[in-house]
Amino acid sequence: MQILYILLCVAGAALPLSQFVPWLSVHSLDVPLLLQQATSNNIAAFAWGDVLISGIVVAVFIVAEGRKLAMRRLWLPLSCLVVGPSLALPLFLLVRERHLAAAGPDRSLKPAPPRGAA
């Protein structure tokens, strides 16, 4: 799975950036123009709305799952949300899989004790 996650990270960074970098080179960081073009029609607004909600879901998942598993350096996949959820999610899943592998088979499959249990 790790190879698949790495490939998805590459695709998740390359595809969005292949569209944004040329736009950025032509318009520089013109935020009003970016927002105008992102909402210029229903399909563009639909796509950006989907990316926004997906980004929020990915951020919540990274924080919740990362804390549950006591993972370190959660800032790395969270900072990748600047590129988009298409990079942040596979990167987090890669880091999570490596964390679970390092924890060993006993710990990675053992459910957490119920809250309040002594």
Side-chain angles (χ1 to χ4, degrees), residues 16-35:
L17 290 175
S18 72
Q19 299 304 307
F20 184 63
V21 170
W23 184 92
L24 194 61
S25 68
V26 170
H27 302 287
S28 76
L29 193 55
D30 188 346
V31 176
L33 179 62
L34 177 66
L35 293 174

Side-chain angles (χ1 to χ4, degrees), residues 81-102:
L81 283 167
V82 171
V83 174
S86 60
L87 171 59
L89 182 59
L91 179 62
F92 174 74
L93 293 173
L94 172 66
V95 172
R96 177 180 174 264
E97 186 159 311
R98 289 183 175 179
H99 174 81
L100 291 173

